Amino acid sequence: MFLKSLTLKGFKSFADNTVMHLEPGVTVVVGPNGSGKSNVVDAIAWVLGAQAPSAVRSQKMDDVIFAGTAKRPALGRAEVTLTLDNSMGLLPVDVSEVSVSRVLYRTGESEYSINGVPCRLLDVQELLSDAGVGRQQHVIVSQGQIDAVLNARPEDRRSIIEEAAGVLKFRKRKEKSERRLEATEGSLLRVQDLLREVRRQLRPLERQAEAARRHGESELSARGESGLGDELVRVEQLRERARGISMLLVERRRSYERDRGQMMDSGVIANLEADAAGLRSELDEVMAAIGRLEPENQELAHDEAAFEGERTAAATLFDHIASSSSAATAAAEVRGELRTLRASVEAADSEHRRLVSRLAGLDERQA
């Protein structure tokens, strides 16, 4: 595997788009001091993932972006693309050429891509590690580095050999997995501490909740649950009666619809008037019963408010205590039944008025 081309745009002294084609063998870059020869090596190190500004001979990373001259303005980004020949298949991709690109903006954002597809720095490092091009970049030997390698400690020399052999990436993955395991163990210890603390606080809360539940049941018995049951029975009876009246009115209306269009005799009119009088009498009885129940309804509403306050106080102590709200629920059902009863009575009265109006019309037609 060898370098095929290097494309630079806005990197250090390369303000224009510059493409260097490299042939197999030895390629030499010749020029006077300050012409930018070292910038070519810095560009290769930078596109391979150099993170420290000192690795590319800079004070800060955005120094690699063309800073401008007296005749040319500064640029907003630096871009380097390195094309590698993969005809031997050393890289685990099914293409003969692999292009690695890096772009840096003055805002500090950095982007990597492989063959034009955005990727992470880790993806670039793992792709090139199999070919012996690793993060330490021992393939780039600068001035004085040969002496540093020869005089390096055995541990440093071992890392260089491991990287060249493709073992270093697996050791890095192992170290990363070990760090994650250590962090997970610390999280488990923290969770266990939290569970112990919650269990310690749960026991007294359970005792308080049980005491509140017993207190709520005793209060309900003392307030007289039987009297409330009697009122519910009476309301149920009135509701059944109103339902019967409504059904009777519906049946009468259906009967009238069947007979509509025919002349009615005086006997039918008399029967209708008698039925209407009977219905009016029953409605008066229902209204009177509702009037008698109104004080009791107000008393039930007062009891309902009292029960609701006690239930709310007990519920704040423990969320799952709900048995003390049965009386309030029953009272709410009573009020709902009374509203339903009033609606039925109003519907019956409306039907009665309609029948009376119809009878008056029949009287006129008979006359």
Side-chain angles (χ1 to χ4, degrees), residues 229-239 289 292-293 296:
D230 295 340
E231 295 298 330
L232 290 175
V233 171
R234 295 178 60 186
V235 170
E236 183 65 23
Q237 292 175 352
L238 290 174
R239 187 180 66 177
R292 291 193 300 270
L293 287 176
E296 297 176 359

Side-chain angles (χ1 to χ4, degrees), residues 4-311:
K4 294 194 66 174
S5 64
L6 180 67
T7 303
L8 307 96
K9 183 177 181 181
F11 183 84
K12 288 194 172 182
S13 58
F14 296 91
D16 297 325
N17 189 16
T18 304
V19 181
M20 298 182 180
H21 297 282
L22 309 177
E23 299 295 335
V26 178
T27 301
V28 180
V29 179
V30 181
N33 293 336
S35 62
K37 300 185 301 296
S38 299
N39 292 342
V40 176
V41 180
D42 292 341
I44 297 175
W46 185 73
V47 73
L48 292 179
Q51 298 298 305
S54 59
V56 290
R57 302 179 300 117
S58 302
Q59 296 295 327
K60 53 185 184 297
M61 188 54 73
D62 60 358
D63 289 342
V64 301
I65 304 175
F66 179 71
T69 62
K71 296 181 179 180
R72 299 195 61 171
L75 299 180
R77 70 172 189 172
E79 181 177 358
V80 177
T81 301
L82 182 66
T83 303
L84 305 174
D85 183 277
N86 191 37
S87 58
M88 300 294 294
L90 297 179
L91 298 179
V93 289
D94 297 333
V95 291
S96 60
E97 292 184 358
V98 177
S99 297
V100 179
S101 302
R102 182 180 181 181
V103 180
L104 177 67
Y105 300 91
R106 289 199 179 274
T107 57
E109 299 177 356
S110 181
E111 298 177 357
Y112 292 88
S113 62
I114 299 177
N115 289 342
V117 179
C119 64
R120 303 171 299 173
L121 173 60
L122 180 62
D123 298 329
V124 175
Q125 293 173 349
E126 291 184 351
L127 175 66
L128 300 179
S129 60
D130 294 333
V133 184
R135 186 172 184 179
Q136 278 75 26
Q137 302 163 357
H138 64 272
V139 295
I140 302 176
V141 182
S142 59
Q143 296 179 2
Q145 191 172 355
I146 295 178
D147 183 66
V149 172
L150 294 176
N151 297 326
R153 297 178 304 171
E155 303 85 35
D156 299 335
R157 190 177 294 113
R158 176 181 178 181
S159 64
I160 296 175
I161 296 174
E162 286 180 347
E163 184 177 3
V167 179
L168 183 61
K169 68 174 183 177
F170 297 105
R171 185 162 63 85
K172 295 295 184 181
R173 291 177 183 175
K174 178 183 176 181
E175 294 174 355
K176 182 179 179 181
S177 300
E178 290 176 349
R179 289 193 299 269
R180 292 181 63 183
L181 286 174
E182 292 177 358
T184 303
E185 290 178 355
S187 300
L188 287 175
L189 293 176
R190 177 59 178 166
V191 169
Q192 291 175 359
D193 294 339
L194 292 175
L195 286 175
R196 283 194 297 268
E197 181 65 20
V198 170
R199 290 194 183 103
R200 186 182 65 82
Q201 297 178 2
L202 186 60
R203 294 188 184 95
L205 289 175
E206 289 177 348
R207 291 194 295 267
Q208 295 176 9
E210 181 62 23
R213 187 183 63 81
R214 291 195 301 266
H215 175 74
E217 289 177 355
S218 60
E219 285 292 326
L220 182 62
S221 300
R223 301 290 296 245
E225 189 177 6
S226 60
L228 187 60
D230 295 340
E231 295 298 330
L232 290 175
V233 171
R234 295 178 60 186
V235 170
E236 183 65 23
Q237 292 175 352
L238 290 174
R239 187 180 66 177
E240 291 296 332
R241 187 175 179 183
R243 185 182 294 115
I245 294 174
S246 300
M247 293 177 63
L248 179 59
L249 291 174
V250 171
E251 184 63 28
R252 291 294 185 182
R253 184 176 61 182
R254 290 175 181 174
S255 177
Y256 169 75
E257 293 295 335
R258 288 194 301 266
D259 297 338
R260 187 173 57 183
Q262 299 179 0
M263 185 61 67
M264 301 179 64
D265 57 5
S266 59
V268 175
I269 296 175
N271 291 332
L272 289 175
E273 291 179 348
D275 292 340
L279 291 175
R280 188 181 296 107
S281 177
E282 291 181 3
L283 288 175
D284 293 340
E285 293 178 3
V286 171
M287 294 300 294
I290 292 175
R292 291 193 300 270
L293 287 176
E294 187 62 29
E296 297 176 359
N297 182 32
Q298 295 178 358
E299 183 179 359
L300 286 174
H302 178 73
D303 293 339
E304 175 190 353
F307 283 141
E308 183 65 21
E310 295 175 358
R311 187 188 68 81

